[in-house]
Amino acid sequence: MRLTTVPQISEPLSGETAASIADAILGATRSGGDWSSLAAGSQPFACGTVSVPLSLLLSLLQPLGSTLETLLWLHTAYGYLRYGMSLSTEEAVVARLTYGAANGAFSNPREPAWTAQRKMSARTCAICERDAWRQRGRRGVLCDHQLPFVTACSRHGVTLRIRAAGGAPPALRSVAMAKANDVAFSKSSAHIWRWGRDPSVLRQWFANALAEQGYRRGDGTFAVRELGAALAVFVQECVSDARLRRLMEYPLRARQLTGWISGRQSAVHAAYLAVLNMYLRSRSGGPYEEYA
Ligand SMILES: [Zn+2]
């Protein structure tokens, strides 16, 4: 192999998973997304975005300017998953992500099945992969493509596919455009993920948007029944994933969402926030980028 064909990690891609960065440094093919940085017998964590403890990854990246904070928020799905966690679970998960399970303080939180990475099948966009290859000379896997129920690239509007094995440059054949609703859901999910660092801002945005659209009254109470009915119709028309549609059919979902927005309820799973976000923006026409 000629030296110029050996990928070298200079710096992470924007939004690249920590697992992908670790693969590029420690893995067999020196290209992100093949899970070859995982220790034998261990499983990826946080929607498959983490394969080795972030403290270890940081020691390998220095002195490139990353910190544990930037790795956690920009390169893992933690910012998405944390909405559904109690404070004590958040602390345990951050410890697990940062230092691994070896410190003995971690017990696996109860997570819904759809937040777990059951198979080692990273989702990827062919165009994003090609761009990563051009920029960095290696493939990379991005966090927002790994979020639950996401099937489209929010940047390119194409359908995601399972990453092909190996470290070779990706082929660009058979790129399929995704449905507009699936792209909107991807944008909404990525938006929720980015705001995971400061959910209070998202709460306030939701409160304002619900007021503008008639679901929050002047006295601060919510028109829960009306919101639930509108969401039920929206979900049937616009959410592709049958599991997510069923989860949204839960009769108290609108009450749960407004409870979280008002601060009465501390945790709510981010996928439901992503659906509500998508619904409100479909009505207002507001761009996600405005709040990114
Ligand atoms: Zn893409």
Side-chain angles (χ1 to χ4, degrees):
M1 186 182 285
R2 294 198 350 253
L3 200 62
T4 51
T5 64
V6 179
Q8 299 283 328
I9 182 158
S10 52
E11 59 181 298
L13 298 159
S14 176
E16 184 175 9
T17 70
S20 179
I21 301 166
D23 290 341
I25 298 171
L26 299 168
T29 62
R30 306 276 165 169
S31 194
D34 64 359
W35 308 115
S36 52
S37 60
L38 267 177
S42 61
Q43 290 288 316
F45 198 66
C47 296
T49 56
V50 177
S51 60
V52 301
L54 299 180
S55 56
L56 168 62
L57 186 57
L58 184 66
S59 70
L60 298 168
L61 278 171
Q62 283 174 342
L64 287 174
S66 295
T67 64
L68 282 174
E69 284 268 298
T70 59
L71 286 178
L72 181 69
W73 295 112
L74 305 180
H75 298 285
T76 82
Y78 174 71
Y80 181 93
L81 296 173
R82 75 171 292 200
Y83 293 99
M85 296 174 186
S86 66
L87 270 181
S88 60
T89 303
E90 279 185 19
E91 287 172 10
V93 169
V94 169
R96 161 69 173 78
L97 292 170
T98 307
Y99 302 109
N103 65 1
F106 178 75
S107 63
N108 203 35
R110 285 178 59 208
E111 288 182 345
W114 42 265
T115 66
Q117 186 81 11
R118 304 226 147 214
K119 298 174 189 164
M120 293 199 200
S121 52
R123 293 191 295 276
T124 184
C125 158
I127 303 173
C128 286
E129 275 201 327
R130 181 201 61 188
D131 291 350
W133 189 270
R134 286 178 176 168
Q135 287 175 28
R136 303 274 195 266
R138 62 188 180 83
R139 293 161 71 177
V141 169
L142 305 182
C143 286
D144 57 333
H145 294 161
Q146 316 312 315
L147 301 179
F149 308 112
V150 164
T151 59
C153 176
S154 60
R155 299 166 197 80
H156 300 109
V158 304
T159 298
L160 302 178
R161 58 190 185 187
I162 301 301
R163 183 194 183 281
L172 251 192
R173 62 180 182 276
S174 70
V175 173
M177 295 309 293
K179 289 196 293 187
N181 282 329
D182 294 344
V183 177
F185 182 76
S186 296
K187 288 184 180 179
S188 181
S189 298
H191 181 247
I192 297 294
W193 169 57
R194 283 193 290 271
W195 277 114
R197 199 165 184 171
D198 191 359
S200 63
V201 177
L202 191 65
R203 278 188 161 108
Q204 191 58 53
W205 182 86
F206 272 126
N208 292 343
L210 287 168
E212 280 168 21
Q213 298 187 27
Y215 296 115
R216 185 166 176 261
R217 307 181 187 99
D219 63 2
T221 59
F222 292 93
V224 175
R225 189 175 305 172
E226 291 80 358
L227 177 63
L231 275 176
V233 173
F234 176 76
V235 165
Q236 289 307 317
E237 288 177 356
C238 301
V239 172
S240 294
D241 191 287
R243 292 167 302 166
L244 184 53
R245 284 202 304 273
R246 275 200 302 279
L247 288 164
M248 286 299 295
E249 282 168 6
Y250 174 58
L252 297 180
R253 193 65 72 212
R255 183 167 299 284
Q256 185 188 50
L257 283 163
T258 54
W260 181 82
I261 291 163
S262 64
R264 292 195 312 277
Q265 178 166 326
S266 62
V268 65
H269 285 301
Y272 311 143
L273 294 174
V275 172
L276 179 62
N277 192 30
M278 180 183 167
Y279 168 67
L280 293 171
R281 283 166 200 274
S282 76
R283 303 228 317 169
S284 70
Y288 295 97
E289 291 73 14
E290 190 180 328
Y291 303 94

